[in-house]
Amino acid sequence: MTVSEKKSFYVTTPIYYVNSAPHIGHAYTTVAGDVLTRWHRQKGESVWYLTGTDEHGQKIMRSAQENGENPQAWVDRLVDNDWKPNWRDLNIANDDFIRTTEKRHTERVQRFLQSLKDSGYIYAGDYEGLYCVGCEEFKLPGDLTERSGKQICNIHEKPVEMVKENNWFFKLSAFVDPLLKLYAEHPETCQPESARNEVISFLQSGLTDLSISRSTFDWGIPVPWDTNQVVYVWFDALLNYATAVGLGDDPQSEGGKKFVQTWPADVHLVGKEILRFHAVIWPAMLMAAGLDTPKKVFAHGWLLVGGEKMSKSKLTGIAPRDITDHFGVDAFRYYFLRAIPFGTDGSFSWEDMHARYTSELANDFGNLASRLAAMVNKYCDGVLPSVSHDAGLERFLAETVAKADAAICELDFQGGILAIMEFCKRVNGYVTEKEPWILAKNPANEPLLREVLYNTAEALRALAVLLHSVMPATCEILWDSLGANQSIGPIADQLISEVAKWGQLPQGALITKSAILFPRLEVSA
Ligand code: MSP
């Protein structure tokens, strides 16, 4: 790992429980983080993108037991066979992958805990309360529903368990005012607004101290001064964002320098069900340690199946591969961010995905690319004619770049993608209006024909760069077919700030027919 001086734009996903293989809900967050990462890289920023796995606690321990394996063997197998390959398949460009069973994590967690104890934020006490193993959370009455005499967790719809233990507590209640002040002074640190309002009203109702250790099982990080207890899994897990970048290391060491370079995190992406952990407990832990709080926690909505949160435990989990086998990886990456406003719940449907694939990707985008390559080959022997301009297209492109950049930096992925696809539609309209196939019939129209072909190629150059963060592999194929690798350089090096400069493809670039970008779907889904 090379450590440069510049502050990195630091993006994280939640670390996922390895009680089963990933489903499309997990992929939704990770793809969003990847698009944000790639976009910021194309803004010329140094970006650090972290994902990983949450491997301790009762939920993982029980799933290992149910499968007749010891927990370490169970998590090792799932991480190696399912989680890491899944992110590779989805073309996720994370810089690091943290596992909470790694030594670099466990040691830093223990050191952090000891320092909070030394500064008086941790004390011993008795805990009695209801616990949901699915959420790995102590529940409040408002989080539960009574059914047949049992208290049921509203998220997992499973009965909660009574826990009565002598534990270590974190003085969470001391942070109500500092947290309220944080959100009053820096509302941008908890997004979207509706999520922040929920956090604020939760804080206004007061906080109780948090039990941060458990003594009735041992699958966790031992509390350093009391090894009969293991650290509460959320306390352990939240710290991953900081342990992965060298929390508490000597400032002169590699880890210490990395911490200065990355901390505070710029964006923690989380699903809305885990917002309270990230917008209440996590900043309080950091405040207690005298560390900066994250610049933004963004709570996105759920993918729903049959109107409910899609989840493995309810047997509604869909594996990413079930979709990518049919539609391809890039259509998968595109679809969820395009179809669902980030921050809102959305239902997944095969029909809707099929319709958007056909109209937006295959027809609007893919066909434009193949028509251009076919026409340049037919009318110009595959050689791009001289540089031309079209004031209308150029203006539209400049506006598109500004809109898309503003939207994506605000995590409005849908707004950003829509702006780019509007430009794509505009270019299709330009081609339809100019009718190059008619122009080609009369040699007198050749200058105009060349102009239209050049402008269309140039528009596709811009589209390839703008869509690269969403659909990297497809845009690389398009880039190649425009001869842009040779004439301009790698697509990943193209800056968003330069995209709207018209005339970058040089005269003479070799335009080749690529494979169809979005092939016709074999069987209707
Ligand atoms: N291990 C904790 C997170 C610890 S972070 C310090 C956890 N893990 S999880 O495996 O349950 O993953 C939760 C995350 O997966 C959600 O926050 C969200 O990002 C994603 N999703 C899981 N199901 C989802 C949907 N149905 N829809 C959208 N995202 C979902 O909680």
Side-chain angles (χ1 to χ4, degrees):
M1 184 193 332
T2 55
V3 177
S4 80
E5 294 304 310
K6 219 171 125 204
K7 163 83 173 87
S8 296
F9 185 79
Y10 182 25
V11 182
T12 70
T13 70
I15 48 169
Y16 303 104
Y17 288 127
V18 278
N19 56 325
S20 59
H23 59 58
I24 62 173
H26 306 124
Y28 180 52
T29 320
T30 311
V31 167
D34 193 58
V35 170
L36 189 67
T37 292
R38 289 173 182 267
W39 186 268
H40 277 268
R41 285 195 182 130
Q42 289 203 249
K43 282 167 70 71
E45 295 169 27
S46 127
V47 185
W48 193 254
Y49 183 31
L50 175 73
T51 188
T53 41
D54 190 353
E55 305 185 1
H56 290 130
Q58 270 169 301
K59 177 170 167 138
I60 307 297
M61 192 183 73
R62 286 184 189 172
S63 57
Q65 282 164 351
E66 280 157 17
N67 286 279
E69 255 182 285
N70 79 55
Q72 189 65 59
W74 167 253
V75 294
D76 286 348
R77 195 165 52 74
L78 276 164
V79 168
D80 287 344
N81 294 353
D82 294 300
W83 287 85
K84 286 186 171 172
N86 177 62
W87 300 144
R88 265 198 302 278
D89 290 350
L90 292 177
N91 214 348
I92 303 300
N94 54 304
D95 296 282
D96 194 3
F97 187 102
I98 181 121
R99 300 182 54 184
T100 54
T101 50
E102 284 171 321
K103 195 161 166 252
R104 62 170 172 156
H105 176 73
T106 57
E107 283 183 354
R108 287 172 179 145
V109 168
Q110 288 185 320
R111 197 164 59 197
F112 181 87
L113 209 68
Q114 186 66 58
S115 75
L116 287 201
K117 170 106 180 341
D118 295 345
S119 49
Y121 284 108
I122 292 180
Y123 65 92
D126 287 318
Y127 190 84
E128 185 170 350
L130 297 168
Y131 193 82
C132 169
V133 175
C135 297
E136 292 281 17
E137 185 181 12
F138 295 105
K139 291 292 179 182
L140 299 171
D143 305 325
L144 305 168
T145 305
E146 192 173 324
R147 226 181 278 157
S148 322
K150 284 190 177 144
Q151 294 292 327
I152 309 287
C153 162
N154 290 343
I155 294 179
H156 286 86
E157 296 194 357
K158 288 198 176 145
V160 289
E161 300 174 18
M162 174 58 83
V163 169
K164 195 173 176 194
E165 285 183 37
N166 184 262
N167 295 149
W168 292 98
F169 281 72
F170 169 55
K171 284 188 182 165
L172 183 63
S173 59
F175 294 92
V176 173
D177 289 340
L179 287 168
L180 283 170
K181 188 165 176 279
L182 171 70
Y183 296 127
E185 288 174 1
H186 297 285
E188 74 287 354
T189 58
C190 182
Q191 297 281 341
E193 192 185 349
S194 54
R196 182 173 65 254
N197 289 339
E198 234 176 76
V199 167
I200 291 174
S201 61
F202 179 71
L203 285 168
Q204 283 165 341
S205 66
L207 294 175
T208 52
D209 289 344
L210 179 72
S211 161
I212 54 153
S213 68
R214 301 292 306 276
S215 61
T216 48
F217 62 94
D218 64 359
W219 182 236
I221 302 174
V223 172
W225 62 88
D226 177 3
T227 50
N228 290 325
Q229 305 246 354
V230 292
V231 179
Y232 168 45
V233 62
W234 268 101
F235 209 82
D236 157 353
L238 286 163
L239 280 164
N240 90 86
Y241 304 126
T243 60
V245 291
L247 172 71
D249 284 11
D250 182 296
Q252 294 314 314
S253 69
E254 180 98 348
K257 288 183 189 157
K258 185 75 196 164
F259 194 74
V260 171
Q261 193 194 9
T262 43
W263 203 258
D266 290 83
V267 181
H268 288 318
L269 293 175
V270 299
K272 64 181 185 182
E273 79 286 8
I274 57 171
L275 177 66
R276 274 191 213 164
F277 294 99
H278 286 83
V280 176
I281 299 176
W282 178 224
M285 288 163 66
L286 291 164
M287 285 174 178
L291 292 167
D292 287 340
T293 51
K295 291 196 190 156
K296 186 175 292 183
V297 173
F298 194 105
H300 65 71
W302 289 337
L303 301 189
L304 307 175
V305 168
E308 284 194 33
K309 177 174 182 262
M310 193 201 63
S311 81
K312 203 79 184 183
S313 60
K314 288 185 191 160
L315 302 177
T316 51
I318 302 170
R321 191 164 277 181
D322 291 345
I323 296 180
T324 58
D325 278 353
H326 188 67
F327 292 101
V329 167
D330 280 350
F332 178 91
R333 292 174 57 105
Y334 173 89
Y335 173 74
F336 293 97
L337 295 178
R338 158 66 184 90
I340 305 165
F342 208 58
T344 305
D345 292 348
S347 291
F348 168 69
S349 101
W350 289 93
E351 292 75 16
D352 187 50
M353 186 160 183
H354 189 104
R356 285 192 199 284
Y357 177 96
T358 305
S359 73
E360 298 172 17
L361 295 179
N363 292 350
D364 290 351
F365 184 38
N367 272 355
L368 181 65
S370 53
R371 276 158 88 200
L372 181 267
M375 290 190 292
V376 175
N377 273 276
K378 189 164 171 197
Y379 307 136
C380 308
D381 293 327
V383 178
L384 195 67
S386 60
V387 175
S388 292
H389 290 269
D390 179 277
L393 284 183
E394 288 186 55
R395 201 174 329 109
F396 204 116
L397 175 60
E399 286 165 11
T400 300
V401 175
K403 257 193 227 164
D405 190 32
I408 294 176
C409 290
E410 286 296 311
L411 281 77
D412 172 10
F413 298 103
Q414 187 186 56
I417 293 172
L418 271 173
I420 300 166
M421 295 312 279
E422 277 306 310
F423 177 66
C424 185
K425 280 202 183 113
R426 174 75 185 78
V427 181
N428 274 304
Y430 170 83
V431 175
T432 309
E433 200 182 293
K434 301 287 179 186
E435 298 183 309
W437 48 92
I438 306 277
L439 295 176
K441 289 186 177 154
N442 181 350
N445 288 330
E446 202 176 309
L448 191 52
L449 171 66
R450 290 171 170 265
E451 199 176 291
V452 174
L453 295 182
Y454 182 85
N455 286 329
T456 309
E458 195 44 17
L460 277 162
R461 182 224 15 109
L463 280 169
V465 176
L466 290 171
L467 289 169
H468 182 237
S469 57
V470 183
M471 300 185 284
T474 302
C475 292
E476 274 153 33
I477 294 172
L478 171 58
W479 194 248
D480 215 31
S481 94
L482 294 171
N485 263 321
Q486 282 74 32
S487 59
I488 305 182
I491 191 170
D493 294 351
Q494 306 308 308
L495 293 176
I496 298 300
S497 57
E498 305 281 305
V499 184
K501 272 192 196 151
W502 203 264
Q504 294 186 41
L505 284 173
Q507 175 177 9
L510 291 182
I511 310 289
T512 48
K513 290 185 195 170
S514 67
I516 305 271
L517 298 184
F518 299 97
R520 187 181 292 276
L521 298 168
E522 284 303 319
V523 192
S524 165

